[in-house]
Amino acid sequence: MIKYRTRLLFGLVTLIFIVLIGLGILLGQLFKTHFISTYDSRLNKESSLIAAFIEEGGGIHHLNEKELDSFSGTLDSRITVTDLTGELKFDSGSIDNQVDEKKHLSTLENIIETKVNGNSNVQAFEVGGGFNLHYYWHPISSNGAEEGYLFLSTKLTEIQKAYQQIWWLLIISLGLALIVILILGARITARYTKPIESATKVAIELAKGNYRARTYEDPLEETGMLSTSINILARNLQGMVKANEIQQGRLSALIENMGSGLLLINSKGHINLINRTFIEVFRVERQNYLNRLYYHVIEHQEISDLIEEIFMTEQKVKKQMHLPIGIERRYFEVYGVPILGTNEEWKGILLVFHDITEIKKLEQVRKDFVANVSHELKTPITSIKGFTETLLDGAKEDKDALEHFLKIILEESDRLQSLILDLLELSKIEQQGYTLSIREVNINQLLEEMLPIVNQKAEEKEIKIILQPLQKNITIDGDYYRLKQIFINLISNAIAYSLQGGRVTVSIKEGKNTIAVSISDTGIGIAKEEIPRIFERFYRVDKARSRNSGGTGLGLAIVKHLVEAHKGKISVESALGKGTTFIIELHKTFPKERK
C-alpha cells in the first residue's frame, strides 16, 4: 500500500506541475504577443519613414534605388514597391537564397487583392510553410492620391529566436522552481505527515490489542494534539485492559476455586463454562463439555430436567438431588437461575451445585445412629439378657444348659465388642488429625503373610484362595498394618459372600507409578444400583448372609477411609450372580501434601 506521505507528495507535485505548465504556456504566449506587437510597431514606423522618403523623392516613378537598397541593408528587410495593380516597380532582392521569387510575387498579389484592395485595416501578413516571412505594407501617395504600395518583408528568425529564448528561460526557471518546490514539499509533507503516519501505526497496533504502543509527541500544535490524544487513548486503554485483566483474573480465580460446582449454559443450550469444582466432583473432562448441548453430555436426567424447567418457566429453581457419581451417591443442593439481559433479553442459565453430602451424612448419622446401633445391638443384648434371666430363673442348675447359655452369651459379647471396636476404629480414622505410619512395604510379602489369617474361614466353606503375586518384589509407601487391615476385610467379605466351594483370586498389576491389587470372588454379586451404597455404614447387600457371617456392616466403610488415607482409589466391578471384583490402586511413592 502506497504511504500517505507518498500519495500526498505525488498529488502536490502533480498539481504544481500542471500549474507551472499552464503558467509557462500563458507567459510564453504573452511574451510572444508582446514581442510581435513591438516588432509590428517598429515595422510600421520604418515603413512610414521609407514611404515618406519615396513620396518626397517624386513618388514611385522617381525611385532612388540606391538609397532604397541602402535602407534594405540597414533594416535587414526586403523592400518592394508596386503600383496599385501590383506591377513591380522596385525590389531590393531576396533576403536569402532560400526565398522563391514566384512565391514572393504571388504573396504580393494576394496581399494587394485581399488586404489592400479589400480596404482591410490589417497591415501585416505572415507566410509559413517553411518560409517564415513577415510582410508589412504602407500606401504611397502623390498629390493626395495613392499611386502604389511599399512592402517590407523580413524573416521571423529573430522572433523565433526570442520565442525560443523565452521558452528556455521559462523551462529553466520553472524547472528550478519545481525542484525547489519538490524539496520543500518533501520536507514539509514529511514534517506534517510523519506524526500522522506514526499515529496511524499506533492506532493499528491498538486495534490489534497492543496497548503498549506509543507515538512520538510532536511539538507542533496541530499534529502534537493528535499524537498526545493517541498516547492518552493508548494509556487509558492499557489501564482499562489491565484493570479488566485483574478483574477477570479475580473472577476466574473465584469461579475456579469456589467450593461449589458452576455450570453456565447459553440461550441455545450450549455449555459455555464449567469450573474446576464441577469437573472434580462429577469427574468429567472440560473439553467434553464446553460448547456442547447440555442434554448430550450431562449424564444425570435430574439435572437435565431441572434445566428444562428453568428454560420453560424462566424462574429461579432450588432443588436437592441425590446423584450417583462413580461408586458413591452424593447429595447436592442445586440453584438454577435464568440470566436475563437488558429489555428482558434471554441470555442463558446459571447452575450452582452445592455438595451437601457431608451435611446429609451427618444428618443421616444422627438420624440413623440410634436406629442402626440399636438394630445391631438389639439381638446380642436381647440374647444376653434373655439367657441371663433364664439362668437366674434356675437354668443355672442344669450344667449342660449353663454351659450352652454361657457360650451364647460369650459369642454375643464378642459380637458387641467387635461392633464397638469397629465403630471406634471408624471414628478414629475419620478424625481430622488421623495419621499413618508410612514405611516401605513389600506388597507380595504383605499378601502372603495375610493368607493364614483368612485361610481357616475359607476352608470352612471349601473356598479356594488364589494369590497371583508379581514376578519381582515391589515395595510401596504405606502403613503396613492398615494395608493388612484393608486386604483382610476385603478377602473376608469375598469369602462371606461366596457360595460353598467358590474361589477368591488376589492379583497384582504394576503400573508406572502405582500398584493395583484386585480381589475377585465368585459370590452372589452386587446389583448396579446398590454399588454406590456399599461403602455406607451398616449397609448390607444380603442382610441375612452378612448377619450369619458375623459382619458388623462397617468393614467396607473402614476400607474406603483407609484407602483414601493412603491417597489411593478403590473401585468395584460386579454383576448379580457373577461375583464381585474390588480394585485398590495405591501409589508406589506416597504423595506429598501440597502446602
Side-chain angles (χ1 to χ4, degrees):
M1 185 179 68
I2 301 176
K3 291 185 177 180
Y4 170 72
R5 186 190 314 177
T6 305
R7 289 187 280 111
L8 178 61
L9 183 59
F10 178 77
L12 181 62
V13 169
T14 302
L15 177 62
I16 293 172
F17 185 76
I18 293 173
V19 170
L20 290 179
I21 291 295
L23 182 61
I25 293 172
L26 177 62
L27 291 176
Q29 197 63 34
L30 289 176
F31 282 136
K32 181 181 178 181
T33 303
H34 175 71
F35 189 82
I36 292 175
S37 176
T38 304
Y39 192 70
D40 286 343
S41 177
R42 193 198 78 179
L43 290 177
N44 184 27
K45 294 178 181 179
E46 291 174 351
S47 62
S48 298
L49 291 174
I50 296 173
F53 173 76
I54 294 173
E55 289 174 356
E56 290 178 359
I60 62 175
H61 300 289
H62 300 87
L63 294 174
N64 189 343
E65 296 181 1
K66 185 178 181 179
E67 289 294 332
L68 291 176
D69 286 333
S70 177
F71 288 150
S72 175
T74 303
L75 299 177
D76 195 17
S77 300
R78 183 174 183 174
I79 299 174
T80 305
V81 180
T82 65
D83 58 12
L84 295 176
T85 61
E87 183 180 351
L88 188 64
K89 297 297 183 180
F90 174 80
D91 188 3
S92 62
S94 175
I95 301 173
D96 53 43
N97 297 326
Q98 296 179 356
V99 178
D100 191 281
E101 295 298 328
K102 290 182 179 181
K103 179 67 176 177
H104 176 66
L105 293 176
S106 63
T107 301
L108 294 178
E109 290 176 1
N110 289 334
I111 294 174
I112 292 171
E113 290 178 3
T114 59
K115 305 294 182 181
V116 178
N117 295 334
N119 295 322
S120 174
N121 294 325
V122 179
Q123 292 182 300
F125 181 74
E126 291 184 9
V127 180
F131 296 98
N132 296 324
L133 294 175
H134 187 78
Y135 287 85
Y136 201 90
W137 65 88
H138 194 279
I140 300 174
S141 303
S142 179
N143 299 323
E146 291 185 0
E147 59 177 355
Y149 302 101
L150 169 67
F151 292 91
L152 288 180
S153 59
T154 181
K155 295 286 289 185
L156 295 177
T157 306
E158 294 183 11
I159 297 177
Q160 291 176 347
K161 289 181 179 179
Y163 198 51
Q164 290 176 356
Q165 290 176 355
I166 290 171
W167 272 110
W168 277 113
L169 180 62
L170 288 174
I171 290 171
I172 293 172
S173 59
L174 295 181
L176 292 174
L178 180 61
I179 293 172
V180 172
I181 290 172
L182 282 175
I183 296 172
L184 293 177
R187 292 177 64 95
I188 292 172
T189 52
R191 182 69 183 86
Y192 282 92
T193 59
K194 186 176 180 181
I196 297 175
E197 290 177 355
S198 177
T200 303
K201 290 179 181 178
V202 172
I204 292 173
E205 290 297 318
L206 293 177
K208 291 179 181 178
N210 179 17
Y211 301 113
R212 293 187 178 89
R214 297 291 185 274
T215 182
Y216 170 72
E217 294 189 6
D218 198 272
L220 290 177
E221 182 177 355
E222 296 80 0
T223 55
M225 292 176 62
L226 174 62
S227 302
T228 303
S229 300
I230 289 289
N231 286 341
I232 291 173
L233 175 62
R235 282 191 289 269
N236 290 341
L237 287 174
Q238 186 179 10
M240 291 171 61
V241 169
K242 187 175 182 180
N244 185 55
E245 288 176 351
I246 293 173
Q247 188 67 21
Q248 188 69 26
R250 292 172 179 171
L251 182 60
S252 298
L254 175 63
I255 291 174
E256 288 296 320
N257 297 290
M258 64 186 298
S260 302
L262 196 68
L263 187 68
L264 181 64
I265 303 172
N266 66 14
S267 59
K268 295 182 179 179
H270 293 90
I271 297 174
N272 285 347
L273 175 68
I274 56 173
N275 69 346
R276 185 186 304 168
T277 305
F278 184 92
I279 293 171
E280 292 174 352
V281 170
F282 288 91
R283 301 170 189 174
V284 298
E285 297 292 335
R286 190 186 299 270
Q287 61 269 20
N288 295 336
Y289 265 62
L290 291 179
N291 302 317
R292 302 282 299 277
L293 290 170
Y294 71 90
Y295 48 81
H296 286 166
V297 294
I298 295 179
E299 298 178 355
H300 303 94
Q301 187 61 38
E302 296 94 328
I303 300 176
S304 297
D305 293 340
L306 177 64
I307 295 171
E308 290 178 7
E309 180 182 346
I310 299 173
F311 268 115
M312 295 295 293
T313 62
E314 298 186 6
Q315 298 294 324
K316 296 180 180 179
V317 177
K318 177 182 178 182
K319 283 187 178 180
Q320 288 190 2
M321 295 183 181
H322 193 198
L323 304 175
I325 300 176
I327 62 174
E328 299 179 297
R329 294 183 66 86
R330 303 181 74 88
Y331 290 89
F332 295 93
E333 190 168 57
V334 185
Y335 291 89
V337 294
I339 303 174
L340 301 176
T342 56
N343 301 323
E344 299 297 319
E345 181 183 0
W346 182 262
K347 295 290 186 180
I349 291 175
L350 178 66
L351 295 179
V352 181
F353 295 81
H354 296 295
D355 189 350
I356 57 172
T357 304
E358 295 302 323
I359 297 175
K360 281 290 184 179
K361 283 183 179 179
L362 290 175
E363 292 178 357
Q364 194 65 32
V365 166
R366 284 194 292 268
K367 291 178 182 179
D368 294 346
F369 181 76
V370 175
N372 287 332
V373 173
S374 62
H375 180 74
E376 296 295 331
L377 297 179
K378 182 178 180 181
T379 300
I381 291 175
T382 301
S383 297
I384 293 172
K385 182 179 179 182
F387 286 117
T388 303
E389 289 176 349
T390 303
L391 290 174
L392 291 175
D393 288 340
K396 63 183 178 178
E397 302 299 333
D398 186 346
K399 189 175 181 179
D400 293 336
L402 174 63
E403 185 177 354
H404 177 67
F405 287 167
L406 288 175
K407 285 182 179 180
I408 294 175
I409 292 172
L410 180 60
E411 289 177 358
E412 296 299 332
S413 299
D414 290 340
R415 186 174 177 183
L416 280 174
Q417 184 182 20
S418 176
L419 179 61
I420 292 170
L421 289 175
D422 282 349
L423 284 171
L424 292 173
E425 182 73 13
L426 187 59
S427 176
K428 181 181 178 181
I429 294 171
E430 289 179 341
Q431 287 179 2
Q432 186 73 24
Y434 178 73
T435 56
L436 299 171
S437 298
I438 302 298
R439 63 186 178 93
E440 287 189 355
V441 177
N442 187 313
I443 194 69
N444 285 341
Q445 182 181 350
L446 172 68
L447 293 174
E448 290 172 357
E449 292 176 357
M450 177 204 63
L451 288 180
I453 301 174
V454 295
N455 268 337
Q456 182 180 357
K457 190 174 181 181
E459 290 172 356
E460 292 175 359
K461 296 182 68 175
E462 298 180 354
I463 292 175
K464 185 177 181 180
I465 300 177
I466 302 172
L467 177 61
Q468 298 175 344
L470 291 171
Q471 296 298 322
K472 58 180 180 179
N473 288 327
I474 296 294
T475 59
I476 64 172
D477 291 344
D479 188 321
Y480 177 84
Y481 296 103
R482 293 304 183 185
L483 290 175
K484 196 171 184 179
Q485 184 180 3
I486 290 172
F487 296 124
I488 289 174
N489 276 341
L490 290 176
I491 295 175
S492 297
N493 267 4
I495 294 171
Y497 286 95
S498 292
L499 301 176
Q500 190 80 13
R503 184 176 70 255
V504 175
T505 304
V506 182
S507 61
I508 309 171
K509 289 184 179 180
E510 180 184 6
K512 183 178 181 180
N513 299 312
T514 58
I515 289 291
V517 181
S518 300
I519 300 172
S520 303
D521 62 55
T522 57
I524 61 174
I526 307 171
K528 184 178 180 180
E529 62 274 9
E530 290 186 332
I531 290 178
R533 300 196 61 192
I534 61 175
F535 294 101
E536 294 179 7
R537 299 174 185 180
F538 301 110
Y539 184 80
R540 301 173 189 273
V541 176
D542 187 339
K543 296 178 174 57
R545 185 183 300 272
S546 61
R547 194 176 299 279
N548 292 335
S549 65
T552 62
L554 299 173
L556 288 180
I558 293 172
V559 166
K560 179 177 180 292
H561 282 86
L562 288 177
V563 171
E564 290 177 349
H566 281 82
K567 312 297 181 185
K569 295 179 183 178
I570 183 169
S571 57
V572 183
E573 298 174 359
S574 183
L576 281 175
K578 296 183 180 180
T580 304
T581 299
F582 284 86
I583 302 170
I584 298 94
E585 187 175 342
L586 300 169
H587 296 278
K588 292 181 180 179
T589 303
F590 196 80
K592 294 181 179 180
E593 293 288 342
R594 293 183 179 178
K595 295 183 179 181

